[in-house]
Amino acid sequence: MKQIFLISAFLLAGFAVSAQDIYSCRNATLSFFSSAPLEDIDAKTTQGVSALNIKTKAVYFKVQINTFQFKKKLMQEHFNENYLESDKYPHAEFKGKITDNIDLTKDGAYPVTVEGTLNIHGVPKTYREKGTVTVSNGKVTAASKFNVRVADHKIKIPSLVVKNIAEVVEVSVNAVYEPVK
Amino acid sequence: MLYLRIMTVALLTAPAAMAQDDLSAMFGKDSVRRDGVTSTFKSTRIINGQSNETLAKGDLDFRVAHRFGDIGGSDGGSKTFFGMDNSTDIRIAFEYGITDRLTAGISRSKGSGSLSQLYEVLGKLKVLQQTHDNRIPVGVTLFGNAVVTGMKSAAEEEEPSYFGNFSHRMTYTGQAIITRKFGNALSLAVLPTYIHRNRVAFMDVNDMFALGIGGRLRFSNRVALVVDYFLPFREQASKDYFAERGVKFYNPLGVGVEIDTGGHIFHLNFTNSTAILENQFIPETTSTWRNGQFRWGFNISRRFSLAK
């Protein structure tokens, strides 16, 4: 009986602590840009979701592919239909961790290194990228910019349009987090 | 005993600790998508018939369509290089997306049937878009056109191309395009259609209803099979009258391959109908798939984004 009580206490304590440590964002901005001989491509969404655990320093991002908005709608159609196949692979997802030895419970601006798995187009790949995390008055913001090689995620570009689409795309992410109540 | 207790605690807290690191659970499982189904068809045409698709706002679609002569039979074979020497109809069009749901266009076609030298004004309105959660199970688009012929009036008053006044030169199409995309590969369309021609031959019909069906089956991201078929409802008396004079009407059927090259969309197709506009291929198809009276043709669509 005492044992059960103890276990319950542990479990409850565990959840109680975790809720305070987790920060979430439901309007993360993700954008990407690429420059090819014939065409620049840029697209943006503000409908990404993200969460950050300031104790364990776990990081999570998820975005619905078809929320990316392009200036040229034809490009957006091709992006969804031909390249990212967003009907088959509706989301891109990142699960990772901040590897630096820093204390995110204290205010400050921290340059960080994030390591984890990014899944785009159903193909996971490990990334190790730089970013920044700013903590002030219970508000946390995070930003990062990194390159994705489209071939790493088995996104095929036919040779006919190779001059229109770059092989490496620069991805930017920005999130402003609120504590999860 | 103490050891066991520690083990139990460790085992029970371990998943809790993992749950803390697996933040994905916070955003739930992928909920049912509420957004609209896109790319039911790749192009605004299936082959002969319209698809539910309209152009995106600011997109200009430059379209060229061609139908050649009979592949076989008395007008085909090697002497016309299987119809390549004869083109029965040619259409050049500019269509523009005023909004994502409203497209307007103009075209010129050669025309095949009783009238030629055709100028067309068309409008297309996407009324309903199918949604992933099936709140709206089908897409509905309305299409209408008005076509005027620029040809010289025939001298004989019996001819359908005798124009006593300007309105005799006009024909019209009104159509609803009802579509559903099944999964990722198959899209089907039903097209109730109304054709009005102000002037027709004796015993021909001014008003005609027709029912079209069409489909697209995707083989890959870029290649699909496309088919469309129209069933025109012509009065029996009219059919009999023309049959006595050796003219038989057939239902237009088109079968083709659709190829998306990334900027162009090509349809390479075979049809028994010779005309390209609804106003003609629905009421005036007198060639049949038998006797080699089918032809190859193509539709080319090149879209330009004018939006800044």
Side-chain angles (χ1 to χ4, degrees):
Chain A
M1 192 61 210
K2 193 180 154 198
Q3 202 170 333
I4 292 169
F5 177 77
L6 224 111
I7 291 165
S8 317
F10 260 104
L11 280 173
L12 283 167
F15 281 124
V17 169
S18 76
Q20 278 171 12
D21 295 341
I22 294 175
Y23 282 65
S24 79
C25 168
R26 291 191 175 272
N27 55 354
T29 303
L30 293 97
S31 59
F32 62 85
F33 175 80
S34 81
S35 183
L38 286 183
E39 223 157 14
D40 286 347
I41 297 173
D42 67 302
K44 186 177 165 181
T45 175
T46 55
Q47 293 176 53
V49 295
S50 180
L52 173 69
N53 185 323
I54 59 167
K55 276 269 167 59
T56 65
K57 287 177 274 186
V59 181
Y60 179 75
F61 272 94
K62 182 172 166 183
V63 62
Q64 195 172 315
I65 295 296
N66 68 4
T67 62
F68 278 100
Q69 296 297 313
F70 291 66
K71 277 197 203 85
K72 293 185 174 179
K73 293 293 163 198
L74 187 62
M75 226 183 236
Q76 189 168 328
E77 186 184 314
H78 288 155
F79 171 77
N80 283 296
E81 282 280 295
N82 297 351
Y83 299 110
L84 273 286
E85 302 178 277
S86 62
D87 269 347
K88 240 192 265 174
Y89 312 106
H91 297 99
E93 192 178 46
F94 177 79
K95 282 180 189 174
K97 217 168 178 147
I98 295 168
T99 57
D100 308 75
N101 188 19
I102 49 169
D103 186 359
L104 290 176
T105 58
K106 295 200 177 79
D107 283 9
Y110 306 98
V112 295
T113 302
V114 181
E115 196 175 304
T117 307
L118 176 61
N119 192 324
I120 306 175
H121 192 230
V123 182
K125 192 194 170 249
T126 306
Y127 283 78
R128 195 182 152 82
E129 302 294 342
K130 301 249 179 270
T132 54
V133 176
T134 312
V135 185
S136 76
N137 293 329
K139 238 193 168 141
V140 180
T141 61
S144 177
K145 204 172 249 192
F146 57 96
N147 288 331
V148 170
R149 289 181 60 84
V150 295
D152 288 345
H153 295 278
K154 297 205 165 67
I155 298 162
K156 292 186 202 92
I157 298 170
S159 51
L160 199 68
V161 291
V162 90
K163 282 205 163 72
N164 301 60
I165 299 170
E167 287 170 47
V168 177
V169 176
E170 187 187 71
V171 178
S172 306
V173 298
N174 274 288
V176 179
Y177 299 90
E178 305 275 355
V180 176
K181 284 171 198 101
Chain B
M1 191 60 203
L2 178 75
Y3 180 69
L4 186 77
R5 198 178 298 177
I6 291 168
M7 276 294 286
T8 320
V9 170
L11 278 173
L12 281 166
T13 48
M18 268 166 65
Q20 279 182 53
D21 268 9
D22 186 13
L23 299 167
S24 63
M26 281 184 60
F27 301 103
K29 287 275 156 243
D30 297 343
S31 50
V32 182
R33 289 172 60 189
R34 299 189 161 277
D35 52 336
V37 173
T38 55
S39 304
T40 305
F41 288 89
K42 199 83 176 192
S43 168
T44 58
R45 300 295 189 290
I46 303 174
I47 293 178
N48 287 320
Q50 301 280 337
S51 80
N52 67 317
E53 300 294 342
T54 52
L55 298 168
K57 185 182 177 183
D59 272 13
L60 178 72
D61 189 12
F62 172 60
R63 302 186 65 92
V64 179
H66 226 110
R67 300 288 182 269
F68 290 97
D70 292 357
I71 281 181
S74 55
D75 295 330
S78 60
K79 68 177 185 295
T80 63
F81 200 65
F82 306 96
M84 286 279 279
D85 293 345
N86 304 328
S87 70
T88 55
D89 204 353
I90 305 164
R91 177 176 182 266
I92 295 174
F94 290 96
E95 298 177 17
Y96 181 75
I98 296 168
T99 72
D100 285 348
R101 284 173 178 267
L102 179 65
T103 294
I106 49 169
S107 84
R108 168 65 158 84
S109 46
K110 178 183 169 185
S112 174
S114 55
L115 304 179
S116 59
Q117 301 178 32
L118 306 179
Y119 297 88
E120 179 196 26
V121 177
L122 66 93
K124 210 169 162 180
L125 179 68
K126 193 182 271 183
V127 181
L128 285 179
Q129 188 173 22
Q130 184 188 341
T131 60
H132 282 286
D133 62 1
N134 276 328
R135 202 165 31 90
I136 306 174
V138 293
V140 178
T141 299
L142 301 178
F143 165 77
N145 75 7
V147 175
V148 62
T149 165
M151 71 192 285
K152 198 165 172 280
S153 174
E156 309 292 321
E157 208 174 330
E158 299 79 52
E159 294 290 323
S161 56
Y162 173 84
F163 310 118
N165 60 52
F166 183 80
S167 72
H168 288 164
R169 295 175 172 273
M170 304 290 297
T171 61
Y172 307 88
T173 302
Q175 188 171 58
I177 304 123
I178 303 156
T179 57
R180 181 165 168 87
K181 192 177 185 180
F182 299 89
N184 195 24
L186 178 68
S187 301
L188 296 179
V190 178
L191 303 98
T193 308
Y194 167 72
I195 308 279
H196 178 83
R197 295 172 294 163
N198 276 344
R199 189 168 165 85
V200 293
F202 179 67
M203 280 303 281
D204 199 347
V205 291
N206 291 103
D207 297 286
M208 180 183 262
F209 285 94
L211 188 68
I213 50 170
R216 172 171 177 254
L217 182 65
R218 238 169 113 163
F219 294 128
S220 74
N221 286 346
R222 295 168 179 285
V223 182
L225 174 76
V226 280
V227 178
D228 62 14
Y229 177 76
F230 280 83
L231 187 64
F233 301 110
R234 179 180 285 275
E235 288 156 25
Q236 194 57 45
S238 172
K239 280 184 193 166
D240 293 344
Y241 176 84
F242 282 98
E244 278 166 28
R245 280 147 190 84
V247 177
K248 202 163 180 297
F249 293 99
Y250 294 94
N251 302 338
L253 169 69
V255 180
V257 176
E258 179 183 77
I259 303 159
D260 175 9
T261 67
H264 294 78
I265 296 165
F266 289 102
H267 286 174
L268 304 177
N269 51 54
F270 292 97
T271 61
N272 60 318
S273 51
T274 56
I276 294 167
L277 292 181
E278 284 80 359
N279 313 43
Q280 293 193 314
F281 78 75
I282 291 174
E284 292 185 50
T285 293
T286 54
S287 40
T288 165
W289 274 79
R290 290 180 212 138
N291 313 332
Q293 286 180 352
F294 63 97
R295 66 218 66 259
W296 90 275
F298 59 77
N299 300 345
I300 300 173
S301 155
R302 175 76 174 105
R303 271 162 72 178
F304 301 90
S305 282
L306 302 184
K308 278 279 165 283

